[in-house]
Amino acid sequence: MKHAWTSAVLLTTLSQQAHAVQYLNTEQAQKALFPQATGFTEQDWLLTPSQLAAVEQLAGQRPNNPHVRVLKAQQGQAVLGYVVLDSVIGKYDLIDYAVGLNADATVKQIEIMAYRESHGFEIRSPAWRAQFAGKSASHGLRVGDGIANISGATLSCTHVTDGVRRIAAVAQVMLRP
């Protein structure tokens, strides 16, 4: 009896882990977001208390950390944009993603880097991710208002969208005068 119970627990654990997929590492995400970049420079944006409040007002949520790791994409001396790596909780596990931002703080593109949930992996589809292009923190970055939901992936859609909106708000506060 004890052996059957142990086997059932092991099978359940293995089946849950089998859904974890690493799609891109940091370097691959950078190149996917900015294929024409000749280099990436790491930056650390430190948000002041007033900037944190501005982000919260724009995004409807406050960043978890005032330090934001940013990778500036460059082609020679020209700044192409920025890459921000982030994670949000799906239903139970983290979703790692990268946001490519244009120099004007609008979203260029997003990439799903790792997905650990058993359902909702459809958020990685090019059609769903393409909805983010050109959007800003204050325009069209909400599920049901600019971003379509995917049946069976509601929490993943909502949480990634909220995360992208937060990152776009941080970029707007940091990049726009």
Side-chain angles (χ1 to χ4, degrees):
M1 213 43 149
K2 183 178 179 183
H3 178 68
W5 180 81
T6 305
S7 295
V9 169
L10 180 60
L11 280 174
T12 302
T13 302
L14 289 174
S15 69
Q16 289 172 347
Q17 291 175 349
H19 297 290
V21 179
Q22 177 78 35
Y23 296 108
L24 302 170
N25 63 30
T26 300
E27 293 78 23
Q28 291 166 329
Q30 290 169 337
K31 281 300 185 185
L33 294 166
F34 291 97
Q36 69 279 34
T38 56
F40 293 88
T41 306
E42 191 164 340
Q43 298 183 328
D44 185 33
W45 290 350
L46 176 60
L47 295 150
T48 65
S50 63
Q51 289 171 325
L52 286 168
V55 168
E56 185 173 17
Q57 184 176 0
L58 280 169
Q61 57 185 311
R62 197 174 189 97
N64 298 331
N65 191 333
H67 294 274
V68 180
R69 179 179 170 221
V70 178
L71 302 159
K72 181 170 60 172
Q74 295 175 258
Q75 186 175 44
Q77 296 299 315
V79 176
L80 300 174
Y82 302 88
V83 176
V84 179
L85 307 174
D86 195 33
S87 297
V88 292
I89 194 80
K91 184 173 183 177
Y92 302 110
D93 291 312
L94 289 177
I95 301 167
D96 299 335
Y97 64 103
V99 180
L101 298 161
N102 296 309
D104 67 356
T106 59
V107 176
K108 178 182 188 295
Q109 177 181 330
I110 72 165
E111 290 291 336
I112 304 300
M113 296 173 63
Y115 196 82
R116 298 170 183 89
E117 299 284 354
S118 61
H119 295 84
F121 57 87
E122 297 89 351
I123 65 168
R124 190 161 184 272
S125 78
W128 189 78
R129 291 181 298 110
Q131 298 176 92
F132 291 86
K135 304 242 168 75
S136 68
S138 55
H139 179 69
L141 279 177
R142 294 188 187 278
V143 170
D145 179 25
I147 305 296
N149 188 34
I150 298 171
S151 180
T154 300
L155 291 176
S156 296
C157 289
T158 300
H159 296 168
V160 169
T161 301
D162 290 348
V164 173
R165 187 176 62 254
R166 177 178 33 80
I167 289 169
V170 167
Q172 186 172 324
V173 167
M174 296 300 288
L175 297 174
R176 292 184 182 172

